[in-house]
Amino acid sequence: MASRDMSTICLFDIDGTLTLPRQVISGEMKESLKALQQKVAVGLVGGSDKAKIVEQMGSNSDVIKEFDYFFSENGVIAYKNGDLIGEESIQKHFGEDKLQDVINFGLHYMSTIRLPCKRGTFIEFRKSMMNFCPIGRSCSQAERDAFSKYDQEHQVRKKFVDALYEKFPDLGLNYVIGGQISIDVIPEGWNKSYCLKFIKRDGFKTIHFFGDKTQPGGNDHEIYEDKRTIGHVVKNPADTIQQLQELFLG
């Protein structure tokens, strides 16, 4: 077997790229990533917190060690070979007063939206970001799918993002649409391209990124457009597997 090309790395978004939104990775995808790791370095970069990514990757806590790099919360929480190498806090970065201004506005705005249904957990506070969810993150998968279709037609999240930028134009926060149902509230520069500083520091010459939300306003956009990466837009996990076959595994 030829040795791995450790000058090349493939980075993957999770939702919509390696898994269906909020679903568990398939056996076929696992095998594709395992085969890819025999050829190049592999890293995950998701917007969710570590626990959610671990769950989606098969509920095995060792998944952090299975990949060369594991980036949660857009890479602001960073692991290399299972060891923590980077961590930031949005609370320390902004302070409680500014965060509460944004939280209060978000809660009020979401209270004025009429949707086919609403459930619970409308704001999730993570280490490096906040996540606003108009339908509520405790919705069922069927309700999640229904909201996603409703959102495509009525642009609920886009209008929410526009309102946040109008209210807080100079606060130093970005508001990006992620997954099927939510908006990530992150400090400027703390998007998925944040992880590249760790990758470049380790001397990789070629960085491939695969993601599905690569359009402006999507949470894969910045790293996809970054001059340091070769960006690949995918439609779904099956498309990811097909592209990997064509590029690396065929």
Side-chain angles (χ1 to χ4, degrees):
M1 182 189 302
S3 60
R4 284 208 296 169
D5 174 9
M6 291 305 291
S7 68
T8 299
I9 185 169
C10 289
L11 297 174
F12 296 91
D13 164 56
I14 311 297
D15 267 6
T17 301
L18 294 183
T19 76
L20 295 174
R22 288 300 297 129
Q23 299 298 297
V24 176
I25 190 170
S26 69
E28 185 181 8
M29 182 64 79
K30 279 188 174 181
E31 289 303 314
S32 294
L33 292 178
K34 186 176 180 181
L36 182 64
Q37 282 184 281
Q38 296 177 8
K39 297 180 178 294
V40 299
V42 175
L44 310 183
V45 52
S48 297
D49 60 26
K50 181 177 73 173
K52 284 190 176 65
I53 296 175
V54 167
E55 177 186 348
Q56 286 183 262
M57 297 304 292
S59 299
N60 178 4
S61 60
D62 287 341
V63 71
I64 299 173
K65 300 178 182 178
E66 289 175 3
F67 295 93
D68 299 277
Y69 295 87
F70 180 100
F71 300 110
S72 62
E73 302 189 34
N74 287 347
V76 180
I77 313 299
Y79 292 83
K80 178 183 177 182
N81 298 322
D83 296 324
L84 183 67
I85 58 173
E87 184 177 31
E88 297 287 351
S89 164
I90 190 173
Q91 194 278 330
K92 290 182 181 178
H93 188 73
F94 277 100
E96 191 64 33
D97 287 344
K98 290 181 180 179
L99 290 181
Q100 283 201 32
D101 287 343
V102 179
I103 289 169
N104 289 343
F105 177 82
L107 286 170
H108 178 266
Y109 183 93
M110 287 186 284
S111 75
T112 68
I113 303 172
R114 195 77 181 181
L115 298 174
C117 73
K118 286 186 177 180
R119 297 300 177 250
T121 313
F122 299 98
I123 292 183
E124 187 174 79
F125 193 89
R126 300 174 186 168
K127 182 78 173 177
S128 67
M129 70 173 73
M130 295 182 291
N131 182 267
F132 288 178
C133 183
I135 187 178
R137 296 194 69 86
S138 60
C139 60
S140 68
Q141 186 61 48
E143 291 164 342
R144 170 187 285 266
D145 293 340
F147 173 82
S148 180
K149 292 180 180 179
Y150 184 87
D151 184 47
Q152 289 175 25
E153 180 181 354
H154 297 279
Q155 299 292 294
V156 175
R157 289 184 292 172
K158 183 182 184 302
K159 293 174 183 175
F160 193 1
V161 164
D162 291 343
L164 285 162
Y165 275 118
E166 182 178 357
K167 179 66 176 179
F168 304 105
D170 302 315
L171 197 57
L173 285 167
N174 286 334
Y175 315 97
V176 295
I177 294 171
Q180 282 185 302
I181 60 174
S182 62
I183 294 167
D184 290 334
V185 180
I186 58 176
E188 289 179 356
W190 291 18
N191 54 66
K192 287 181 181 176
S193 67
Y194 189 95
C195 76
L196 297 178
K197 71 176 188 178
F198 301 105
I199 301 300
K200 293 300 291 185
R201 185 176 68 188
D202 287 345
F204 287 95
K205 296 179 180 178
T206 306
I207 304 170
H208 295 270
F209 172 76
F210 296 81
D212 68 316
K213 292 288 190 299
T214 59
Q215 73 281 3
N219 66 355
D220 297 326
H221 177 69
E222 288 83 3
I223 188 171
Y224 173 78
E225 291 286 340
D226 196 287
K227 294 179 180 179
R228 294 169 290 182
T229 67
I230 300 171
H232 305 272
V233 60
V234 302
K235 300 175 183 176
N236 50 45
D239 188 30
T240 302
I241 291 173
Q242 182 176 340
Q243 291 194 37
L244 290 179
Q245 286 289 340
E246 294 171 355
L247 292 168
F248 296 100
L249 305 178

